């Protein structure tokens, strides 16, 4: 209240001063101020409208398969013989064949890397204004073509349209917005302290593009997995060569045309972004073919192979690998919130999320109530073709064979004492019409089951009982992975305390997945979930070479020079001069520093008192 009164008093004084200076009445002065504010608002509004209109609009004509929900196409059976030089592309929800993309050879990949390197030499000198222009062109295209972008993703990966909005479009737009607003700030030279002895120096860190970034991305989010490394790499001034998954390559046709059009509209080199399609040979060639940094997102097993391949050229690697995120619910958590959030954590994108909820650790006091509430909701989830006529809550599994792998984990858990409360039935793709595995709920999951150790990457909620905070922390950390985590509690302080003890790279308090919505935060994990980060400030700067620079602050007044005692030939008082400097600058307190200053002056005034000859004279 006091602060409000002080503000009001200050405003009155300001108005009175204004009246005195201008000769206007109080009312006229207020009217003038309001008019000025309105005028400034209109100028800002017009500027915003003009800048939006000036963003180039790009057009990408979609094919029938990209533009229509229903298409006519032959069925495809995974595993059937195909030409080794191509990758078959099909819709995992309908098994319709969408076409083929090249299975590139190592030589083709190296050619693409070489093209990107030449383009990157030009782009590294681009201004931040031009880089923002490129990102805004992409953002405008996304706004104008959201439905097509989501349809293409749904057809290639099997996810519902809503999940394409949430997992593909929203996070991509958030990343572009953050880069445009804050990216330049974190890539500008950063002042650092020069230290006490170099007080006359100016020190800074400069962030220079690494050159060409090589990215190997998975199938689960074909749009975002391309735009995520692309936006950051290009904003940092790099070129990009991106190897997409052989299980989600078809969508790069539409997304690739979008990127090419955006590069042209922004005046960027046409070869700045290169796509690589194919199998292991293409991936290995990308890692070993001369890129300057590798970002790998995928399984732990393949991540180890990437790291070994990169070692020969000492190519730096970012590994974002598997996860078995803990989703912890205390007895006083808000169940109305938790239930729906837990369903998203477990079944978003049919569970195909590296940072999805896999282990749901629920307190003993609400364990039964949680299961009673969740089970009917899981049983009622609708699964099917996301582009069909009926609404669906859950789509298909993108990778062939994944349904069988998930079912094996469920069967092992049930055989070892887990209770199957929903789902858990495997139907072959030919019978189900697509690569579907139903939303599944397992209760009483515990250590010793395969599902406790292995990443599921499918639509399974595994529920675990606990009774003390120490116990739940131990259960959560009893895992080879450590990517994300969520803690729900009535007391935010308690949730924070539990989260602080979890071995994970990320923690959301009373929420799920929000660390990725905050694009200023780094994304990555610990243990078998990998190392380094590909998002946030750390990820953006990681796409640069941090270069240390030090120079004279006032070169006309003070320059570095070798002190006379240290000049060649070295003088007899050289060592004493050094020890005096150390004491004067770094002594722990004024007594040490004053003693060092006195010793330094003595060195300079009586240089002959030091050295071997002086020592002999003293001995004599």
């Amino acid at each position: 209240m006091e602060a409000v009164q002080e503000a009001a008093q200050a405003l009155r004084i300001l108005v009175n001063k204004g009246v005195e200076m201008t000769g206007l009445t109080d009312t006229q002065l207020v009217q003038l101020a309001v008019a000025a504010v309105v005028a400034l608002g209109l100028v800002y509004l017009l500027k915003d409208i003009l800048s939006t209109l000036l963003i180039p609009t790009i057009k990408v004509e979609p094919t029938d398969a990209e533009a229509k929900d229903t298409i006519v196409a032959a069925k495809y059976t995974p595993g059937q013989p195909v030409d080794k030089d191509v990758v078959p592309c099909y819709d995992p929800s309908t098994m319709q064949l969408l076409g083929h993309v090249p299975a590139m050879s190592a030589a083709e990949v190296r050619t693409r890397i070489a093209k990107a390197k030449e383009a990157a030499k030009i782009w590294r000198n681009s201004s931040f204004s031009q880089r923002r222009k490129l990102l805004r062109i992409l953002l405008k295209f996304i706004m104008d073509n959201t439905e097509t972008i989501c349809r293409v993703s749904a057809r290639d990966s099997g996810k519902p349209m809503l999940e394409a909005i949430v997992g593909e479009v929203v996070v991509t737009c958030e990343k572009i917005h953050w880069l445009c607003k804050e990216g330049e700030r974190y890539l500008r030279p950063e002042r650092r302290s020069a230290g006490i002895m170099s007080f006359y120096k100016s020190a800074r860190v400069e962030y220079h593009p690494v050159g060409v970034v090589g990215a190997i991305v998975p199938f689960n989010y074909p749009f975002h997995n391309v735009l995520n490394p692309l936006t950051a790499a290009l904003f940092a001034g790099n070129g990009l060569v991106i190897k997409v998954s052989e299980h989600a390559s078809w969508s790069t046709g539409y997304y690739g045309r979008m990127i090419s059009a955006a590069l042209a509209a922004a005046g960027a080199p046409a070869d700045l972004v290169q796509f690589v399609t194919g199998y292991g040979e293409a991936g290995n060639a990308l890692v070993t073919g001369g890129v300057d940094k590798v970002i790998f997102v995928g399984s732990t097993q393949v991540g180890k192979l990437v790291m070994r391949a990169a070692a020969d050229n000492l190519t730096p690697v970012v590994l974002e690998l598997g996860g078995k995120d803990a989703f912890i619910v205390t007895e006083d958590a808000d169940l109305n919130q938790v239930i729906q959030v837990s369903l998203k954590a477990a079944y978003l994108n049919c569970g195909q999320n590296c940072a999805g909820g896999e282990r749901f650790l629920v307190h003993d006091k609400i364990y039964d109530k949680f299961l009673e509430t969740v089970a009917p909701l899981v049983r009622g989830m609708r699964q099917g073709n996301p582009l069909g006529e009926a609404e669906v809550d859950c789509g298909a599994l993108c990778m062939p064979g994944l349904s069988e792998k998930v079912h094996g984990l469920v069967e092992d858990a049930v055989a070892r004492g887990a209770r199957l409360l929903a789902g858990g039935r495997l139907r072959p793709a030919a019978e189900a019409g697509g690569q579907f595995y139903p939303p599944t709920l397992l209760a009483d999951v515990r250590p010793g089951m395969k599902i406790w150790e292995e990443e599921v990457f499918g639509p399974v909620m595994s529920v675990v009982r606990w009774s003390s905070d120490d116990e739940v922390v131990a259960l959560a950390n009893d895992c080879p992975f450590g990517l994300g985590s969520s803690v729900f509690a009535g007391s935010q302080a308690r949730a924070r305390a539990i989260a602080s003890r979890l071995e994970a790279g990320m923690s959301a308090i009373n929420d799920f997945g929000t660390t990725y919505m905050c694009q200023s935060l780094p994304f990555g994990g610990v243990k078998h979930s990998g190392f380094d980060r590909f998002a946030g400030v750390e990820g953006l700067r990681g796409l640069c070479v941090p270069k240390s620079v030090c120079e004279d602050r006032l070169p006309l007044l003070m320059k570095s020079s070798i002190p006379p005692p240290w000049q060649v030939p070295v003088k007899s008082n050289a060592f004493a001069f050094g020890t005096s400097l150390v004491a004067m600058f770094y002594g722990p307190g004024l007594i040490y520093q004053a003693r060092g200053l006195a010793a330094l002056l003595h060195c300079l005034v009586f240089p002959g008192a030091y050295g071997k000859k002086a020592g002999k004279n003293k001995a004599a």
Side-chain angles (χ1 to χ4, degrees), residues 58 60 137-145 149 254 258:
I58 57 175
V60 177
I137 290 169
L138 288 169
L139 184 61
K140 187 176 182 180
F141 181 86
I142 294 170
M143 295 298 104
D144 295 340
N145 300 274
I149 289 169
Y254 181 71
M258 171 197 74

Side-chain angles (χ1 to χ4, degrees), residues 496-542:
R496 194 183 304 123
I498 293 173
S500 69
R501 299 167 62 191
L502 300 180
E503 296 168 353
M506 301 168 287
S507 290
I509 306 298
N510 283 325
D511 213 332
F512 164 77
T514 48
T515 51
Y516 198 51
M517 273 304 294
C518 302
Q519 278 293 318
S520 65
L521 295 177
F523 187 95
V526 298
K527 300 193 283 190
H528 284 195
S529 291
F531 51 78
D532 209 339
R533 302 294 184 261
F534 70 63
V537 176
E538 292 78 6
L540 183 61
R541 286 180 168 177

